[in-house]
Amino acid sequence: MRKKIVAGNWKMNKSLPEALELVGAIKTLSYSNEVQLIVVPPFLYAKTLVDELSGTQVSVGVQNCAKQEKGAFTGEVSASMIQSVGVDYVIIGHSERRAYFSENNQDLALKVDLALANHLTPIYCCGEIIEERNSGNYFEVVKSQISEGIFHLSATQIQKCIIAYEPVWAIGTGVTATPEQAQEMHQFIRNLLKEKYGEADASSISILYGGSCNPQNAKELFALPDVDGGLIGGASLVAEDFIAIANSF
Ligand code: PEP
């Protein structure tokens, strides 16, 4: 059975005291132990939160990693550094990284390799912008993101990845993909995985939905056959909402 996962991408939000308050509140709330909960704070707080959450079932991720292994890359944080502070997950290819930091599928493939080489689980993001959806080009866009970003991996490696489908037009907009739109794309992604790696591997990989997912719509989305959880932005900044989403399976 595929893992159920809810990951909260905090983006560039929260001071350290606010971050501690949020995880403090998350720790007091209960959710099913079948769900893997992941908080994804800014780099600066990752180690503190790893310590804060030790002994709980909540894991810590980060929002990016460098595409280089190490060296003279001012301002960058490498996958091995991330791993060395006890972080387990790394978001790779979020649409904001693609759009504002010009990250392309080739850069992202390098990051995925470095993440895996350092025992981090990549949460690889894909998703089309509104123009691509309106022009009917969205399957092609997602197919390129997936095939260029992760299809160089072996079957053993791909099984260690999580995929997040995040239609860009749904991120932070309050416009959620309909259940039909979400299932159609998740099934499409799973079929791509099947063609490349076979049925067994494809059916073991978790595919998360992201884009204005909240406690009101999570149940309907998580009930879809190919949706295995969510990558949550805004709603992950409020402990009660985040846990309500985790309780929506
Ligand atoms: C995200 O940025 O990954 C995201 C899903 O944001 P939101 O939930 O706020 O739409």
Side-chain angles (χ1 to χ4, degrees):
M1 206 170 76
R2 286 192 290 275
K3 259 197 204 159
K4 298 176 169 130
I5 298 164
V6 173
N9 174 14
W10 296 3
K11 309 193 187 188
M12 199 169 71
N13 291 297
K14 303 277 179 199
S15 64
L16 179 58
E18 288 167 345
L20 290 170
E21 193 183 329
L22 178 52
V23 294
I26 289 171
K27 284 201 281 186
T28 66
L29 299 168
S30 60
Y31 62 94
S32 159
N33 57 14
E34 282 180 16
V35 179
Q36 175 61 62
L37 210 60
I38 307 166
V39 293
V40 189
F43 279 128
L44 205 53
Y45 317 144
K47 164 76 172 120
T48 307
L49 296 199
V50 165
D51 294 342
E52 202 64 27
L53 290 165
S54 90
T56 75
Q57 288 178 51
V58 186
S59 293
V60 178
V62 291
Q63 301 168 19
N64 181 31
C65 70
K67 67 176 174 184
Q68 301 88 357
E69 205 174 325
K70 64 184 206 174
F73 300 100
T74 301
E76 289 292 88
V77 179
S78 73
S80 69
M81 293 170 180
I82 294 165
Q83 188 273 337
S84 76
V85 300
V87 165
D88 292 318
Y89 296 85
V90 54
I91 296 176
I92 293 178
H94 189 278
S95 63
E96 289 150 17
R97 300 294 316 173
R98 292 177 185 266
Y100 308 141
F101 301 94
S102 306
E103 292 185 2
N104 61 37
N105 296 330
Q106 287 67 39
D107 297 325
L108 303 174
L110 297 172
K111 293 183 183 210
V112 168
D113 288 345
L114 285 165
L116 289 169
N118 287 283
H119 311 289
L120 297 170
T121 299
I123 303 176
Y124 182 78
C125 300
C126 59
E128 78 285 357
I129 60 174
I130 190 66
E131 290 79 8
E132 293 161 343
R133 165 118 335 228
N134 290 340
S135 69
N137 197 25
Y138 48 102
F139 288 122
E140 275 314 302
V141 170
V142 170
K143 185 177 180 179
S144 308
Q145 292 169 336
I146 295 279
S147 57
E148 293 170 23
I150 54 176
F151 273 6
H152 61 288
L153 300 176
S154 68
T156 313
Q157 289 175 312
I158 197 100
Q159 280 178 60
K160 295 180 179 146
C161 295
I162 296 167
I163 295 173
Y165 169 58
E166 300 204 299
V168 182
W169 45 270
I171 295 181
T173 59
V175 179
T176 317
T178 64
E180 294 71 25
Q181 288 170 325
Q183 172 55 24
E184 179 184 52
M185 185 57 88
H186 281 236
Q187 190 173 35
F188 174 75
I189 294 169
R190 195 161 322 274
N191 282 337
L192 291 175
L193 293 166
K194 250 183 228 169
E195 281 163 26
K196 173 81 184 166
Y197 297 99
E199 175 91 43
D201 289 332
S203 57
S204 73
I205 296 168
S206 296
I207 308 177
L208 313 184
Y209 168 80
S212 296
C213 185
N214 59 41
Q216 287 72 47
N217 58 34
K219 218 179 186 73
E220 200 176 21
L221 289 161
F222 294 178
L224 298 166
D226 287 295
V227 175
D228 306 305
L231 179 54
I232 316 298
S236 73
L237 298 172
V238 177
E240 291 73 17
D241 289 350
F242 188 48
I243 298 300
I245 293 171
N247 285 327
S248 298
F249 288 94

